[in-house]
Amino acid sequence: MDTPKQTQPNLGEMLHLRGNALSKGEPIALPLVQSSMFHLPGMPEDFSNYGRVHNPTWAHLEHVLAHLEGAPCLAFPSGMSAISAVLFATLKAGHRVLVPSDGYYVTRLLAAQFLAQLGVEVIERPTLGFAEGGFEGIDVVFIESPSNPGLDVIDLRAVAEAVRVAGGISIVDNTTLTPLGQRPLDMGVDIVVASDTKAMGGHSDVLMGHVATRDPQILQRVEDWRKISGSIPGPHASWLLHRGLETLDVRFDRMCTSAQVIAERLAAHPAIKQIRFPGLPGDASHALSKAQTLRFGFLISVTLDSEAQADTFINTCPLIRPATSFGGVHTSAERRARWGDVVDPAFVRLSVGCEPVEELWQAIDQALNAL
């Protein structure tokens, strides 16, 4: 099956999706509709009826997300809520699901502690060996590329096609790159999920997620799950995410550009034992990332000499926030081993923010030199 080339969304049009449909005197900023009930005389028909089913604020947010993804979207109150929705909507007892053993650990917890208890067989493979053994007999294949936190990359077109030929459904967690850095649906993937808590929202003040798919049946199943389970986004969180999306292009460009500069300098720093960043020509993921992604992203993985050095670096650099999660305007970092990821104790995931790059590098360099 031929898949289309990845195409960037029209970002100017995205900024004016609401404005170009306004009547005279209406507010340009998206209104926040904080209501659980709607005026509903007679039959409900296609009107807003109840806050668990519909809200005008999140409906417009989904309109913008759909423009970015090039596919219908459904908003959720967190990234894990979006992941849960697609897995529960596509799996049943007796099915088999494949998840990355080196991906986001909470996805594995969901599979092991809940899906397995309901009769779903859970299979784990590392990202670099994901296609080994094929996909025959596997109903749902959940993919991370780049993997979080190791930043390994796999051929999404090849995997999506192999899964389809085997009769399965492919899902890609595209949190790390966003629709501006990688477009899995254009590469033949069935479903995209993302934690919009990260770069999409971008200001570390909202928990949100979304699901995108061009398959109407899958979309309906996911929407039914959301409605019945009550896993709905709040209107204020939806409003905050919508506001964040209006600056996504500017923030993402700054973060990715700065990450390239920082990664190149870190690679030459004597305090760095190992570095992973797909934008480095010598990185194991570079060639495939260059062919497959639109940007190399803003995440850098570095390993220092010891756990103590890693903690000192994170905790003393004045332009790094020691925090979990990533993708905010503030550069942040953490030792992923503290959450149970199978990585070196001195492994640090660095999320480059929007600080002026020379100021950021000076702070990082000084912190590393002081170790």
Side-chain angles (χ1 to χ4, degrees):
M1 175 182 175
D2 292 331
T3 54
K5 293 182 179 179
Q6 297 185 84
T7 55
Q8 281 274 22
N10 186 318
L11 297 172
E13 182 180 343
M14 183 204 80
L15 288 174
H16 292 274
L17 282 176
R18 173 176 165 76
N20 284 329
L22 291 176
S23 299
K24 187 174 181 177
E26 289 188 284
I28 291 175
L30 178 65
L32 171 56
V33 179
Q34 190 78 44
S35 182
S36 62
M37 300 169 65
F38 300 89
H39 183 62
L40 199 66
M43 296 299 290
E45 298 172 331
D46 295 324
F47 293 93
S48 297
N49 54 70
Y50 182 52
R52 181 169 48 79
V53 179
H54 182 264
N55 177 279
T57 303
W58 92 48
H60 184 71
L61 167 65
E62 290 174 340
H63 184 42
V64 174
L65 288 169
H67 182 86
L68 283 171
E69 291 282 10
C73 286
L74 293 167
F76 286 85
S78 69
M80 279 310 303
S81 177
I83 290 171
S84 298
V86 296
L87 291 177
F88 277 95
T90 56
L91 289 165
K92 61 183 180 181
H95 276 183
R96 305 172 78 209
V97 61
L98 172 62
V99 297
S101 60
D102 54 348
Y104 183 45
Y105 76 102
V106 184
T107 305
R108 296 196 302 276
L109 289 178
L110 174 67
Q113 294 186 19
F114 292 94
L115 296 176
Q117 299 289 321
L118 298 174
V120 174
E121 181 183 348
V122 179
I123 306 165
E124 294 186 11
R125 295 176 188 168
T127 297
L128 291 181
F130 211 64
E132 294 177 8
F135 305 104
E136 290 294 331
I138 300 176
D139 300 279
V140 173
V141 176
F142 190 96
I143 308 158
E144 278 187 25
S145 180
S147 61
N148 175 22
L151 301 182
D152 285 323
V153 173
I154 56 176
D155 189 330
L156 290 181
R157 290 183 189 275
V159 170
E161 177 62 18
V163 171
R164 178 173 287 105
V165 169
I169 293 172
S170 57
I171 304 168
V172 166
D173 184 338
N174 201 36
T175 299
T176 59
L177 286 180
T178 84
L180 302 190
Q182 178 173 263
R183 305 186 64 75
L185 296 176
D186 288 350
M187 290 183 273
V189 169
D190 295 307
I191 307 170
V192 161
V193 296
S195 171
D196 299 327
T197 305
K198 278 68 171 182
M200 297 283 274
H203 293 82
S204 308
D205 57 6
V206 61
L207 288 168
M208 285 288 287
H210 77 269
V211 173
T213 181
R214 294 169 182 161
D215 186 314
Q217 291 183 320
I218 291 175
L219 187 74
Q220 188 60 59
R221 286 279 294 168
V222 174
E223 186 171 13
D224 288 345
W225 165 262
R226 181 177 72 174
K227 179 171 61 177
I228 295 168
S229 70
S231 186
I232 59 169
H236 186 241
S238 299
W239 185 87
L240 283 171
L241 176 55
H242 177 269
R243 186 176 65 169
L245 292 179
E246 292 185 328
T247 60
L248 173 61
D249 180 37
V250 178
R251 291 183 289 101
F252 188 69
D253 179 65
R254 175 72 167 261
M255 292 155 67
C256 293
T257 300
S258 294
Q260 184 71 41
V261 173
I262 298 296
E264 290 172 2
R265 296 178 184 180
L266 285 173
H269 199 286
I272 301 301
K273 181 179 174 183
Q274 185 177 6
I275 183 169
R276 290 299 309 275
F277 179 69
L280 295 174
D283 189 87
S285 297
H286 179 71
L288 183 54
S289 292
K290 188 175 181 180
Q292 179 167 278
T293 66
L294 302 169
R295 299 298 298 263
F296 293 120
F298 54 84
L299 291 179
I300 304 170
S301 295
V302 295
T303 304
L304 297 166
D305 278 336
S306 67
E307 177 180 331
Q309 278 199 355
D311 279 333
T312 300
F313 166 62
I314 294 168
N315 296 333
T316 61
C317 182
L319 295 190
I320 289 178
R321 293 302 95 220
T324 193
S325 196
F326 56 84
V329 294
H330 312 93
T331 293
S332 62
E334 67 171 335
R335 282 194 318 104
R336 289 303 298 176
R338 67 181 185 167
W339 296 108
D341 284 339
V342 185
V343 293
D344 191 295
F347 175 100
V348 175
R349 183 180 68 190
L350 178 67
S351 174
V352 176
C354 292
E355 301 88 351
V357 68
E358 292 303 329
E359 292 182 25
L360 178 59
W361 170 249
Q362 184 178 21
I364 290 173
D365 187 42
Q366 289 178 353
L368 289 173
N369 290 338
L371 295 177

